[in-house]
């Protein structure tokens, strides 16, 4: 939904740009802009067609190939050109005249739409590698959760009021009602945050009624940007607080921070969950924490009370039988939850297996536990045991050959000493 709403906002900006230049926007062109905006913004996820069972790789097929080659700037530009040609053909097929300005505007919508998908995917902790094949590294924004309600609430009302007729006139308010109901009843959003979100949704929806079409679109885009910037500012502060806490508490052991994966509470700039990767020259550690980057306004105590369950309230390492004592000292802004430690040698041995080698080209926070037949491997960002990133690694040897491993740089190459593009 997030990508689709972004695409519709892009289409509205394009339509109003043509109108302000005195150019006529016919019904078919208007529909083409809206459909093209949505399709272009969603199109990089076309890798879902082949990233699952089609590749016969089990869980690895999804891990390695979703947000894969279709989530690169090269593919975004190529696919935008193809979508533009289809949109041009569709408009002209009905005999409607298509000026050079209108054709150029369709091209811009296609390009901005596909590139917006990469940018939005960057904002969360899953990551993208947009510069492949020139650079195979993963990039993580660690700022906006993948289903962020603020983005939906700021976008839907201006988009709705700008559609006097058609499917969007009734579908958009339906989505808005469903989202508000989910905020209130699903229990994932903190109660005080849900009140703010619902009140904002009501006032924002009513207020958009009295704004011009151009004003609605501008306010929707500006609000979207402000929400995103706010989360990035909070994320940067949260990461700094975590790094400070680890460095101060572990200076004697020379433990250093390799990575901090962050997610906010839904709609909540003030409460964050963190999965922290640290280590020494011989050890590798994963630690979970709750972070209150603005503790003077929203304290750790408030975060603990607000999130008793759900994604934010659950410690992903909480059920591990091999948890160790967290060696870091809690601060007024960082509450440590659980920690798990292994050796860098064991991680290197995992990388030497077929499945481990492939999986570690995706896994940012690999966590592995010995079983009777090998290892149980997960990316701790997505839970343990039953998440989509879970896989069993048989040892010794390999269970199969011929994995199609893309050229991504392993996220934990800093610990492994591996920077290879296979």
């Amino acid at each position: 939904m997030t990508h689709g709403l972004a695409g519709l906002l892009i289409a509205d900006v394009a339509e109003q740009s043509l109108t302000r230049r005195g150019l006529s926007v016919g019904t078919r062109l208007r529909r083409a802009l809206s459909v093209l905006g949505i399709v272009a913004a969603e199109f990089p996820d076309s890798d879902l067609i082949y990233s699952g069972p089609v590749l016969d790789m089990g869980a690895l097929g999804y891990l390695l190939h979703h947000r894969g080659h279709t989530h690169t700037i090269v593919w975004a530009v190529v696919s935008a050109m193809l979508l533009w040609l289809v949109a041009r053909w569709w408009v002209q097929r009905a005999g409607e005249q298509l000026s050079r300005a209108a054709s150029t505007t369709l091209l811009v919508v296609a390009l901005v739409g596909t590139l917006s998908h990469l940018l939005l995917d960057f904002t969360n902790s899953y990551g993208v590698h947009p510069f492949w094949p020139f650079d195979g590294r993963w990039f993580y924004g660690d700022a906006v959760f993948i289903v962020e309600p603020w983005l939906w609430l700021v976008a839907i009302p201006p988009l709705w009021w700008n559609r006097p007729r058609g499917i969007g006139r009734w579908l958009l308010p339906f989505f808005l009602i469903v989202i508000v109901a989910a905020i209130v009843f699903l229990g994932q959003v903190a109660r005080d945050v849900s009140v703010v979100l619902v009140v904002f949704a009501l006032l924002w929806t009513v207020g958009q009624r009295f704004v011009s079409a151009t004003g609605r679109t501008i306010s929707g885009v500006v609000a979207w940007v402000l929400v995103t910037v706010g989360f990035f500012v909070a994320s940067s502060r949260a990461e700094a607080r975590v790094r400070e806490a680890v460095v101060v508490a572990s200076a004697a052991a020379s433990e250093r921070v390799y990575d901090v994966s962050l997610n906010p509470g839904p709609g909540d700039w003030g409460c964050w969950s963190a999965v922290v990767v640290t280590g020494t020259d011989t050890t590798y550690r994963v630690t979970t924490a709750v972070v209150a980057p603005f503790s003077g306004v929203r304290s750790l105590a408030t975060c603990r009370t607000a999130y008793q369950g759900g994604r934010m309230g659950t410690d992903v390492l909480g059920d591990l039988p091999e948890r160790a004592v967290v060696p870091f000292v809690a601060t007024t802004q960082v509450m440590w939850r659980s920690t798990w430690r292994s050796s860098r040698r064991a991680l290197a041995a995992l990388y030497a297996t077929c499945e481990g080698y492939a999986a570690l080209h995706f896994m940012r926070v690999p966590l592995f536990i010995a079983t009777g037949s090998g290892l149980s491997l997960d990316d701790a960002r997505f839970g343990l045991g039953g998440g989509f990133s879970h896989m069993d690694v048989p040892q010794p040897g390999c269970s199969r050959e011929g994995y199609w491993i893309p050229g991504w740089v392993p996220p934990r190459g800093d610990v492994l000493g591996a920077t290879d593009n296979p």
Side-chain angles (χ1 to χ4, degrees):
M1 183 180 291
T2 306
H3 291 300
L5 292 174
L8 270 181
L9 282 173
I10 293 167
D12 277 14
V13 170
E15 178 186 340
Q16 289 157 27
S17 173
L18 288 172
T19 301
R20 289 177 67 85
R21 291 158 64 185
L23 299 172
S24 175
V25 179
T27 301
R28 199 165 181 88
L29 177 57
R30 181 178 295 108
R31 289 175 179 171
L33 287 168
S34 295
V35 173
L36 178 61
I38 295 172
V39 173
E42 302 279 5
F43 204 68
D45 275 342
S46 56
D47 58 17
L48 292 171
I49 296 172
Y50 67 85
S51 62
V54 173
L55 295 176
D56 192 29
M57 293 176 62
L60 278 171
Y62 184 85
L63 298 183
L64 292 175
H65 294 284
H66 178 50
R67 294 206 183 180
H69 298 91
T70 63
H71 286 66
T72 62
I73 292 175
V74 170
W75 172 255
V77 172
V78 171
S79 60
M81 296 296 292
L82 294 174
L83 293 172
W84 169 61
L85 292 174
V86 172
R88 276 175 49 92
W89 167 82
W90 187 79
V91 173
Q92 293 175 326
R93 178 171 173 265
E96 186 170 316
Q97 292 296 320
L98 189 65
S99 66
R100 175 173 293 185
S103 178
T104 302
T105 299
L106 284 171
L107 177 59
V108 171
V109 169
L111 283 169
V112 176
T114 54
L115 292 172
S116 75
H117 189 111
L118 275 59
L119 184 60
L120 285 174
D121 279 358
F122 160 73
T123 63
N124 55 58
S125 63
Y126 194 110
V128 288
H129 30 71
F131 305 114
W132 183 90
F134 310 104
D135 185 344
R137 289 177 298 167
W138 288 86
F139 293 87
Y140 310 96
D142 289 314
V144 182
F145 188 55
I146 197 168
V147 285
E148 175 49 52
W150 275 113
L151 296 181
W152 299 340
L153 296 183
V154 300
I156 290 178
L159 289 170
W160 174 38
W161 285 114
N162 273 355
R163 274 153 184 79
R165 64 183 67 85
I167 189 172
R169 187 62 173 170
W170 60 266
L171 195 57
L172 286 168
F174 170 77
F175 283 145
L176 184 62
I177 293 170
V178 171
I179 290 165
V180 170
I183 289 170
V184 174
F185 296 112
L186 288 187
Q188 297 294 319
V189 182
R191 182 57 56 185
D192 55 345
V193 174
S194 68
V195 171
V196 173
L197 288 167
V198 172
V199 171
F200 170 83
L202 177 62
L203 296 178
W204 187 248
T205 302
V206 173
Q208 290 292 318
R209 171 67 177 83
F210 304 99
V211 181
S212 67
T214 301
R216 290 169 191 150
T217 302
I218 292 174
S219 65
V221 172
V222 169
W224 187 299
V225 171
L226 290 176
V227 166
T228 304
V229 170
F231 276 111
F232 268 98
V233 170
S235 173
S236 176
R237 186 177 176 90
E239 181 178 357
R241 300 294 83 83
V242 169
R243 289 181 177 273
E244 289 170 3
V246 173
V247 170
V248 169
S250 61
S254 301
E255 194 155 349
R256 57 187 178 275
V257 180
Y258 287 104
D259 200 0
V260 180
S261 175
L262 290 159
N263 271 305
D268 192 346
W269 284 274
C271 297
W272 295 70
S273 63
V275 184
V276 188
V277 178
T278 61
T280 66
D281 291 339
T282 59
T283 62
Y284 166 74
R285 182 191 301 277
V286 175
T287 309
T288 52
V290 175
V291 188
F294 308 104
S295 57
V297 177
R298 194 161 177 78
S299 67
L300 274 174
T302 300
C303 292
R304 290 197 300 268
T305 302
Y307 298 99
Q308 296 293 324
R311 181 185 59 83
M312 269 292 296
T314 302
D315 178 8
V316 296
L317 305 185
D319 296 328
L320 272 181
E322 300 180 15
R323 284 185 300 164
V325 176
V326 179
F328 313 134
V329 177
T331 69
T332 57
Q333 294 172 314
V334 179
M335 179 190 76
W336 302 105
R337 282 173 157 173
S338 302
T339 193
W340 169 89
R341 187 177 68 172
S342 182
S343 67
R344 293 178 68 156
R345 180 177 298 178
L347 186 62
L350 171 66
Y351 192 61
T353 67
C354 289
E355 286 82 1
Y357 175 78
L360 290 179
H361 282 81
F362 165 81
M363 291 191 175
R364 182 182 179 187
V365 191
L367 191 151
F368 46 94
I369 302 171
T371 63
S373 58
L375 294 175
S376 174
L377 173 62
D378 295 274
D379 190 321
R381 290 177 295 170
F382 309 113
L384 306 181
F388 71 88
S389 67
H390 173 76
M391 59 183 303
D392 295 314
V393 181
Q395 288 184 320
C398 300
S399 64
R400 67 177 81 183
E401 297 178 355
Y403 290 138
W404 176 24
I405 303 174
W408 323 141
V409 173
R412 289 282 63 84
D414 48 8
V415 180
L416 292 162
T419 58
D420 60 312
N421 283 351

